[in-house]
C-alpha cells in the first residue's frame, strides 16, 4: 500500500531552464578512466614516498 | 583511440601509447563496455523502455564520459520524458567533449530556435514545481489544476503524470489515476514508478469490490439469480391498452378535430380577406394603367409635334460640289489670262458666273472671289455684247440687237450705251413705252453720260 506522504517526499522539483548552467557545472563527469588514472597516480606517489 | 593519459591519437591496433607509454589494454576494455551499454540503451530506447535506456546510457557514460553517442541519446531520452533541462545539459556537455560534427548541435539549435516552445517547456517545469509545492501542502485541487496545465504545455512530462496519478490515488479517483498512468506508460513503458502505481491500482479495486459486496448489494453490478417462474397472462396490460385507446379517441374528438375545423374556418376567412384585398389591388392597377395610357397618348402627341418641327427645320447641306462652278470659272479665267488680250474670250466664264447659284455659298472668301471675277469679267463681256448689239442695230436688225444689248445690260448695269440702244431699238420697233422706260433710265441715272442729251431729245419726241 502506497503511503502518500512518503511517496510525495520522493518527488523533487524539476530544474528550470535558468538553472541549466548550475546543472551542467554540478554534473559529476568522472568516469572509470579518471578513477583508474587517479588510482594509478596515487599508487605512483605511494611508491615514490616508500622509496 | 585517444590516449586517456596524454590525449594523443593512438592506433587501434596498438596496446600501448607510443607517446607516453601508457598501457591501453584496460582502457580498451572499458571503452568496449561503454559501447556495449550504449547499444543496450539504444535497443531499450527503440522499444520505449526509456527508464531502462537511461540506466544503460548512464552506465555507458560512467565508463566513458566522452561517449558522444551515448550522451546525445541520453539527452534525447531525457527530452522525451519531459526532462528538458537534463536533456539540454547532456547535449551541452556532449558538445564540450566533441565540438565538431556533433548531433548535439542540431538538437540544441532545434530547441533554441523555437522560443515559444522553449518558453512553454519552461512554464511546464515552473507549474510542475508549484503543483508539487501545493501537493505537499495538502492543496490537491490546486495541484491538479496546475498539473493538467503542465501536461497541456508538455504532454511528455512523466513526472507530472506520476504526481497527478498519485494525487488522484489519494483522493480515491482511481479511474483518472489509471488514465494518466496509462498515458505515462505509453511514453515510457517500463517506468518503475508507473508500474508500481499501476500495481497499486490493480490491487485496490479487489479490496474495494470485496468491501462493496459485503456492505451494499444495491450498488453491485451483479444481479442475483432467481428461480425460473412461468409468467401468468397479464389482464391488466390488456385493460390498460383499452383505456389508452379510449383516451386517444377522446383526445382526437374533443381537442384535435375542433382545432382542425377552427383552422379551416380561419383559412376560409383569410382567403376571403385575401380575395377582397386582391380585388382592391386589381382596381388600383387598372386605374394606374388608364392614367399611364393617357400620359402615353399625350407624350405621343408631343413627339409628333416635335417631329413635325424637326422636319420643318432645313439643315443647310454642306455640299462641296456647289463651289465647282466657281472653281471652273477661276480655272478658265486663269487660262484666258495666259493668252494675249485680244485673243481672250470671257463669254463662257461670264455665263458660268451668271448662272452660278450663290445662295448656298457660306464661305465669304468664295463670295469675294466670285464678286472679283464678276468685276473683272462682266464689264468686258458686256462691252462685247454691246458691240454685237450695236452692229446688229446698225444693220436694222433691231430684235436681234435687243438680245445682245440686253445681255450687255445684264452683265453691266452701268453700261449706258447698251441701255441707250435698247431704248433706241424699242423706239425703232415702235414700242414707245419700253423705249421710254430705258430713255428715262439714261436720263435719270446717267446725267453725266454722253447719251444724256440724245436720250432727253428722243424722250421728248416720243408720242404721249
Amino acid at each position: 500500500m502506497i503511503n502518500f506522504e512518503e511517496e510525495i517526499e520522493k518527488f523533487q522539483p524539476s530544474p528550470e531552464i535558468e538553472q541549466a548552467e548550475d546543472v551542467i557545472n554540478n554534473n559529476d563527469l568522472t568516469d572509470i578512466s579518471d578513477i583508474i588514472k587517479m588510482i594509478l597516480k596515487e599508487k605512483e606517489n605511494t611508491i615514490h614516498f616508500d622509496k | 583511440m585517444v590516449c586517456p593519459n596524454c590525449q594523443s591519437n593512438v592506433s587501434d591496433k596498438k596496446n600501448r601509447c607510443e607517446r607516453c607509454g601508457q598501457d591501453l589494454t584496460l582502457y580498451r576494455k572499458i571503452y568496449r563496455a561503454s559501447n556495449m551499454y550504449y547499444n543496450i540503451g539504444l535497443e531499450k530506447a527503440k522499444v520505449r523502455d526509456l527508464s531502462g535506456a537511461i540506466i544503460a546510457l548512464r552506465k555507458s557514460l560512467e565508463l566513458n564520459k566522452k561517449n558522444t553517442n551515448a550522451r546525445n541519446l541520453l539527452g534525447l531520452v531525457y527530452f522525451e520524458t519531459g526532462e528538458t533541462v537534463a536533456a539540454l545539459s547532456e547535449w551541452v556537455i556532449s558538445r564540450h567533449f566533441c565540438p565538431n560534427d556533433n548531433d548535439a548541435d542540431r538538437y540544441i539549435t532545434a530547441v533554441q530556435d523555437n522560443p515559444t516552445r522553449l518558453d512553454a517547456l519552461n512554464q511546464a517545469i515552473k507549474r510542475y514545481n508549484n503543483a508539487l509545492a501545493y501537493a505537499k501542502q495538502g492543496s490537491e485541487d490546486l495541484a491538479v489544476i496546475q498539473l493538467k496545465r503542465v501536461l497541456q504545455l508538455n504532454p511528455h512530462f512523466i513526472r507530472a503524470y506520476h504526481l497527478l496519478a498519485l494525487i488522484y490515488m489519494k483522493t480515491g479517483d482511481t479511474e483518472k489515476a489509471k488514465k494518466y498512468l496509462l498515458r505515462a506508460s505509453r511514453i515510457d513503458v517500463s517506468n518503475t514508478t508507473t508500474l508500481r502505481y499501476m500495481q497499486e491500482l490493480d490491487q485496490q479495486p479487489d479490496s474495494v469490490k470485496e468491501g462493496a459486496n459485503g456492505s451494499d448489494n444495491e450498488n453491485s453490478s451483479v444481479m442475483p439469480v432467481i428461480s425460473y417462474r412461468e409468467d401468468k397472462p397479464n389482464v391488466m396490460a390488456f385493460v390498460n391498452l383499452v383505456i389508452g385507446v379510449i383516451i386517444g379517441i377522446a383526445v382526437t374528438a374533443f381537442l384535435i378535430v375542433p382545432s382542425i375545423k377552427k383552422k379551416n374556418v380561419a383559412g376560409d376567412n383569410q382567403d376571403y380577406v385575401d380575395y377582397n384585398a386582391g380585388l382592391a389591388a386589381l382596381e388600383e392597377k387598372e386605374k394606374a394603367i388608364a392614367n399611364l395610357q393617357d400620359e402615353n397618348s399625350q407624350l405621343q402627341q408631343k413627339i409628333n409635334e416635335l417631329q413635325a418641327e424637326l422636319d420643318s427645320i432645313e439643315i443647310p447641306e454642306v455640299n462641296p460640289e456647289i463651289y465647282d462652278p466657281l472653281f471652273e470659272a477661276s480655272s478658265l479665267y486663269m487660262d484666258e489670262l495666259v493668252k494675249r488680250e485680244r485673243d481672250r474670250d470671257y463669254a463662257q466664264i461670264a455665263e458660268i458666273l451668271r448662272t452660278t447659284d450663290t445662295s448656298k455659298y457660306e464661305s465669304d472668301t468664295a463670295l469675294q472671289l466670285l464678286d472679283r471675277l464678276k468685276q473683272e469679267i462682266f464689264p468686258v463681256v458686256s462691252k462685247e455684247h454691246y458691240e454685237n448689239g450695236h452692229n446688229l442695230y446698225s444693220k436694222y436688225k433691231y430684235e436681234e440687237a435687243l438680245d445682245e444689248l440686253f445681255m450687255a445690260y445684264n452683265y453691266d448695269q452701268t453700261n449706258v450705251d447698251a441701255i441707250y440702244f435698247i431704248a433706241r431699238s424699242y423706239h425703232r420697233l415702235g414700242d414707245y413705252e419700253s423705249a421710254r422706260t430705258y430713255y428715262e433710265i439714261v436720263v435719270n441715272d446717267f446725267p453725266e453720260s454722253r447719251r444724256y442729251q440724245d436720250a432727253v431729245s428722243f424722250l421728248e419726241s416720243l408720242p404721249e
Side-chain angles (χ1 to χ4, degrees), chain B residues 20 26 29 54 155 230 261 271 392 425:
Chain B
C20 66
L26 187 60
K29 282 182 180 172
I54 288 169
E230 196 173 334
K261 278 184 179 173
D271 288 348
L392 290 165
S425 298

Side-chain angles (χ1 to χ4, degrees), chain B residues 261-279:
Chain B
K261 278 184 179 173
K262 196 176 176 184
K263 210 176 269 181
N264 286 340
V265 170
D268 290 345
N269 288 340
Q270 187 61 41
D271 288 348
Y272 180 69
V273 170
D274 288 348
Y275 175 73
N276 278 343
L279 211 61

Side-chain angles (χ1 to χ4, degrees), chain A residues 15-29, chain B residues 71 84-97 108 112:
Chain A
E16 295 171 14
I17 288 175
E18 292 85 357
Q19 298 168 319
E21 198 178 333
D22 297 335
V23 173
I24 294 163
N25 290 332
N26 294 334
N27 207 323
D28 182 12
L29 292 172
Chain B
R71 200 173 284 281
T84 313
V85 175
L88 285 168
S89 302
E90 293 303 333
W91 292 330
V92 169
I93 293 165
S94 169
R95 198 165 58 175
H96 167 73
F97 285 128
I108 292 167
Q112 286 180 338

Side-chain angles (χ1 to χ4, degrees), chain B residues 289-303:
Chain B
I289 287 165
N291 287 339
L292 287 170
Q293 278 175 344
D294 283 350
E295 260 178 50
N296 184 32
S297 59
Q298 284 172 7
L299 288 170
Q300 192 61 45
Q301 201 175 334
K302 263 188 191 175
I303 288 167

Side-chain angles (χ1 to χ4, degrees), chain B residues 386 402 405-406 408-410 412-426 434-435 437-443 445-446 451:
Chain B
Y386 165 71
L402 273 174
L405 290 167
F406 269 116
Y409 179 57
N410 285 338
D412 187 2
Q413 307 284 312
T414 62
N415 191 341
V416 68
D417 294 329
I419 300 164
Y420 175 76
F421 278 98
I422 289 169
R424 289 299 303 141
S425 298
Y426 278 128
S434 298
T437 306
Y438 287 95
Y439 281 139
E440 281 176 354
I441 291 169
V442 174
V443 171
D445 295 346
F446 303 99
R451 302 291 181 186

Side-chain angles (χ1 to χ4, degrees), chain A residues 7 12 14 29 32 34 37, chain B residues 4 62 65 129 159 196:
Chain A
E7 196 65 31
Q12 294 299 316
S14 184
L29 292 172
I32 291 287
D34 294 329
K37 272 194 280 182
Chain B
E62 278 169 11
K65 64 183 176 187
N129 292 338
R159 276 206 241 186
R196 195 154 51 86

Side-chain angles (χ1 to χ4, degrees), chain B residues 441-455:
Chain B
I441 291 169
V442 174
V443 171
N444 295 331
D445 295 346
F446 303 99
E448 302 297 323
S449 71
R450 61 187 177 111
R451 302 291 181 186
Y452 175 75
Q453 283 302 327
D454 293 337

